[in-house]
Amino acid sequence: MKQSAYFCVGILLSTVAPLTFASPINAVIGLDNSQIVENSSQLSFQPNPGTLLPLQQNFPPITHLQNNLDSQWFDEIGQKVRVEHKQRDLSYTGMLTRIEQDKRTFLILIDERPTTLPLDDFYLIPLEKVDSTPSAKTDLQVSYQTNQLSWTPQLSLIFEGNNVSVSQQALLHNQSSETITLQDSLLHYARNAPNRLFKAERNALAMSADQSSMDYQDNEISYPLGNKAIQMAPYSNALIPLPSSTSKVEKQTHTASLYTHENSSGNIELNFYNNLSFSFKNDGLPGEYRTFQKRGNLLIPSNTVFLNTVRANYPINVVTNKSQDITGSLTLISASSQKLPASQTWQATIDNLSNQDQDYAIEQNINGIIEVLEGDEATKLTASSLIIKGKIKAHSKKTVTYKIELKN
């Protein structure tokens, strides 16, 4: 499948940094965090503690792993500085003594009095020149995990006539302060917590990344983004297309489900819902799908459904919305006893308000064990449930009578 052009949506949440074209990043992008491969001389993201993995056996110490966003603060520890509030007319001068990155605070010694201030609220102005010569940064290839790069699936089912389009996109999130370029990377779909170190096979797949379909391997799902560069500004999102497909709706059934017990009496209203059956044409992503009915260029939102399995030729039933075509009721006509065991006679009334024939199904769950079931359209589902299935003509009413014998 030929990939569409990437559509990027960027929203800068802080001071706009000048665009720089850093070396492309190879990444296995997960739903919560990502596994990055790049040179260690300047990491694009803040590594999660304990995840940095040098990709060679013998290497010199790597000592420059602090967040690039705060590196200027760390360089000024022990020096005289001036800090100015970003929004208020407020400034302090003193010695910067400590950075508490987890708490996002810094400690400054003002007239021999230590004061703690919020790190993100102040600008830093160095007042003394640092004479120390910075040590050369180790430049070797490393892999690490970060929470600053992730993605969210955007999944939809769009029904139009007898067709259903499976629409899939990926929304990438760059939560770092760096402009990044992704290349030869892949999306990784895993709802469970991933292992600390991603498998080498995934990195190899990311490097080749020349296929354009969902890959089910080792019971995991991935999708190569190809070798086209994807540029993302700091604190921005990018929407990219994933393989989509169109299938035929094989059957439409108006379904109702209810629970009855031995003391049920009177008319019980049946709430029918539109149930559409189809099979997936291609492999896709499991997860939460929004459903829409397409009318011209408009999309009418319907129910949200969660699909555990999205594989080629796999049959699926989707409940989209409440039926406006079929109404009905269920009535207990007679019962031998209000306690079990008992014999009961039920009557279902179905009314088709539309101008075309419709399929219907009524699932009845019963507080008891079904020993005998008599009725033309009634079929036993489980020990304590049955289903009534049939077809009703346009603008017509239909009654179905059936008898059951129940025991405890």
Side-chain angles (χ1 to χ4, degrees):
M1 178 179 177
K2 188 175 181 180
Q3 283 189 313
S4 305
Y6 294 118
F7 172 64
C8 295
V9 181
I11 301 177
L12 298 184
L13 303 180
S14 64
T15 304
V16 178
L19 288 177
T20 59
F21 296 94
S23 300
I25 298 170
N26 302 133
V28 178
I29 307 170
L31 297 176
D32 300 312
N33 55 33
S34 297
Q35 191 81 21
I36 310 297
V37 177
E38 63 179 338
N39 292 330
S40 64
S41 57
Q42 184 173 1
L43 300 183
S44 300
F45 303 98
Q46 177 67 24
N48 294 346
T51 65
L52 191 74
L53 176 65
L55 298 181
Q56 69 182 58
Q57 290 185 351
N58 299 316
F59 58 92
I62 305 174
T63 58
H64 50 277
L65 301 179
Q66 69 270 17
N67 192 332
N68 291 332
L69 178 64
D70 303 324
S71 60
Q72 59 173 337
W73 289 86
F74 285 100
D75 293 340
E76 296 298 325
I77 291 178
Q79 305 296 323
K80 189 175 182 180
V81 299
R82 176 181 174 87
V83 293
E84 292 185 357
H85 199 278
K86 294 180 179 180
Q87 296 178 346
R88 297 160 55 192
D89 185 15
L90 186 65
S91 64
Y92 301 100
T93 300
M95 179 180 291
L96 182 65
T97 61
R98 184 184 303 173
I99 302 293
E100 295 183 342
Q101 200 169 15
D102 292 341
K103 299 179 180 179
R104 304 302 298 165
T105 60
F106 66 93
L107 190 67
I108 186 172
L109 195 63
I110 305 172
D111 295 331
E112 303 302 323
R113 180 178 179 180
T115 304
T116 301
L117 298 171
L119 185 66
D120 298 321
D121 290 357
F122 285 85
Y123 294 112
L124 174 68
I125 303 173
L127 298 179
E128 295 181 354
K129 184 177 180 181
V130 180
D131 295 329
S132 59
T133 303
S135 58
K137 293 183 178 181
T138 305
D139 189 11
L140 57 95
Q141 199 172 51
V142 296
S143 182
Y144 61 92
Q145 284 187 15
T146 180
N147 293 331
Q148 294 181 321
L149 180 64
S150 61
W151 74 288
T152 302
Q154 291 197 173
L155 309 173
S156 303
L157 298 174
I158 302 174
F159 294 92
E160 183 179 15
N162 291 325
N163 295 324
V164 53
S165 298
V166 182
S167 176
Q168 302 181 114
Q169 295 89 32
L171 188 62
L172 304 183
H173 313 290
N174 175 18
Q175 297 299 323
S176 74
S177 60
E178 302 293 329
T179 298
I180 63 170
T181 301
L182 296 171
Q183 194 165 17
D184 295 328
S185 299
L186 61 82
L187 301 176
H188 177 235
Y189 181 97
R191 283 296 177 188
N192 297 326
N195 294 330
R196 172 165 289 187
L197 299 179
F198 280 52
K199 296 181 180 179
E201 290 83 357
R202 290 182 219 159
N203 282 334
L205 181 59
M207 301 310 172
S208 61
D210 55 358
Q211 58 183 22
S212 58
S213 61
M214 292 295 166
D215 182 71
Y216 281 75
Q217 179 179 330
D218 298 329
N219 292 315
E220 295 177 343
I221 308 172
S222 59
Y223 176 70
L225 295 178
N227 56 12
K228 183 175 181 179
I230 305 174
Q231 294 180 0
M232 297 184 65
Y235 302 105
S236 69
N237 300 317
L239 185 66
I240 65 172
L242 300 179
S244 298
S245 62
T246 300
S247 300
K248 288 289 185 181
V249 175
E250 299 163 3
K251 191 172 184 179
Q252 175 176 305
T253 307
H254 300 266
T255 60
S257 180
L258 75 161
Y259 174 83
T260 60
H261 52 84
E262 59 271 17
N263 294 323
S264 296
S265 62
N267 290 343
I268 304 173
E269 182 181 359
L270 296 175
N271 292 311
F272 287 91
Y273 288 85
N274 192 24
N275 190 308
L276 299 170
S277 303
F278 62 95
S279 297
F280 292 107
K281 188 175 181 180
N282 300 319
D283 290 340
L285 292 171
E288 190 174 76
Y289 280 75
R290 294 170 297 171
T291 65
F292 298 91
Q293 296 288 341
K294 189 174 182 181
R295 298 289 185 270
N297 293 325
L298 301 177
L299 296 179
I300 304 172
S302 298
N303 289 345
T304 299
V305 296
F306 191 90
L307 303 180
N308 290 313
T309 304
V310 181
R311 302 300 299 269
N313 302 318
Y314 185 83
I316 196 74
N317 295 317
V318 173
V319 178
T320 58
N321 54 0
K322 193 176 186 301
S323 173
Q324 303 299 323
D325 293 333
I326 300 290
T327 62
S329 62
L330 189 65
T331 306
L332 179 61
I333 301 299
S334 63
S336 62
S337 173
Q338 289 189 341
K339 296 182 179 180
L340 300 181
S343 296
Q344 298 178 349
T345 301
W346 291 86
Q347 186 176 82
T349 302
I350 307 103
D351 193 2
N352 183 3
L353 307 176
S354 70
N355 56 5
Q356 61 185 15
D357 296 353
Q358 302 285 0
D359 291 299
Y360 66 88
I362 303 169
E363 183 177 336
Q364 181 181 1
N365 297 280
I366 304 169
N367 183 27
I369 304 301
I370 302 174
E371 279 196 307
V372 178
L373 174 59
E374 298 176 356
D376 292 339
E377 295 186 358
T379 304
K380 188 174 177 180
L381 272 181
T382 67
S384 58
S385 67
L386 60 91
I387 189 169
I388 305 164
K389 294 193 296 185
K391 185 181 288 289
I392 182 172
K393 293 183 178 180
H395 296 295
S396 67
K397 182 176 289 188
K398 182 178 181 179
T399 59
V400 176
T401 303
Y402 56 97
K403 182 180 179 181
I404 54 178
E405 294 184 6
L406 301 173
K407 68 175 183 178
N408 288 319

